[in-house]
Each structure stands twice: as C-alpha cells, then as structure tokens.
C-alpha cells in the first residue's frame, strides 16, 4: 500500500467526525444516542466506532481531574534542552509528579511537561531542583 492509499484509507467522513466529536465530549455516550446523532442504527454507530478504534484513530480512556484527587498545584513547563531532548524527556517522565511530557519539534521549547503537586512547596521542588538534576 502506497502513501496515497494509506492517506485515502485514513480519511474521515462527516459521520466519523461527528462521532469523534460526540465521544470527545462524553466517552461513555451510548451507541443508540450516537446513532441517532448521525442517522444510523445503534449497531451502525457501534460498527463505525469499532472501525475508528481498529484504525487507531480513536482510543476511549478515562481522564482524571488532579484538583479533585487532592492535588492543589499544577504547572505546564516549557523546557529547552542542551543535548538529547528525548533522553531529557524520558528522565522527566520518570518523575512521579510529571503527568506527561511532549517533545515539541520546531517551537520555542524542546519539550513541554505537565506537573501536578500536593502543594506549592512540592511544585517548587519539582520545577526548580528536581528538573535540574
């Protein structure tokens, strides 16, 4: 399969886009409701959703709210790196309070890291001392 065939296969139609938008708002939305939204039966909506998952376009996951889990401080860090940006990103990812790290490519920063902490003191510890090691 060449690149143009792959690109054609990965194209989304309006029904796919509507289903994705609905599931981004509520990942637990039922197939009957999804089908009604796009003019399909519940079974038709289910087949579309399963196809999106099989193609790797859709993954339904649970997202937590750090503030409701007891964390009171959060930060998004823009990081510039000397040396191997992937090694630094991997090291940042090993810190328990780092929720995620993204290597950015051509931007003002080499990577971004989201950090949650129990309080301002813990956040300060993570963002000043621990990231420099």
């Amino acid at each position: 399969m060449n690149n143009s065939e792959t690109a054609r296969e990965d194209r989304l139609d309006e029904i796919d886009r509507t289903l994705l938008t609905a599931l981004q708002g509520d990942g637990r939305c039922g197939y009957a409701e999804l089908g009604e939204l796009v003019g399909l039966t519940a079974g038709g909506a289910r087949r579309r959703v399963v196809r999106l998952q099989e193609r790797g376009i859709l993954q339904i996951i649970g997202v937590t709210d750090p503030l409701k889990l007891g964390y009171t401080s959060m930060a998004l860090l823009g990081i510039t790196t000397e040396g191997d940006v992937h090694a630094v990103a991997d090291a940042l990812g090993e810190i328990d309070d780092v929720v995620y790290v993204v290597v950015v490519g051509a931007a003002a920063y080499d990577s971004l890291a989201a950090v949650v902490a129990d309080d301002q003191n813990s956040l300060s510890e993570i963002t000043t001392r621990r990231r420099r090691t």
Side-chain angles (χ1 to χ4, degrees), residues 45-103:
R46 181 189 171 285
R47 282 189 293 280
R48 285 286 190 126
V49 169
V50 168
R51 193 174 313 132
L52 290 167
Q53 290 173 309
E54 288 172 345
R55 291 167 59 194
I57 294 169
L58 173 65
Q59 180 182 22
I60 299 173
I61 60 170
V63 177
T64 59
D65 181 340
L67 297 175
K68 292 188 177 178
L69 292 174
Y71 297 101
T72 61
S73 300
M74 300 176 0
L76 181 62
L77 307 176
I79 301 162
T80 54
T81 305
E82 292 181 18
D84 184 352
V85 67
H86 295 285
V88 172
D90 289 342
L92 285 168
E94 295 297 318
I95 300 172
D96 288 337
D97 298 317
V98 174
V99 179
Y100 69 86
V101 178
V102 178
V103 174

Side-chain angles (χ1 to χ4, degrees), residues 101-120:
V101 178
V102 178
V103 174
V104 182
Y109 301 105
D110 297 317
S111 58
L112 299 171
V115 180
V116 295
D118 293 328
D119 54 41
Q120 279 302 127

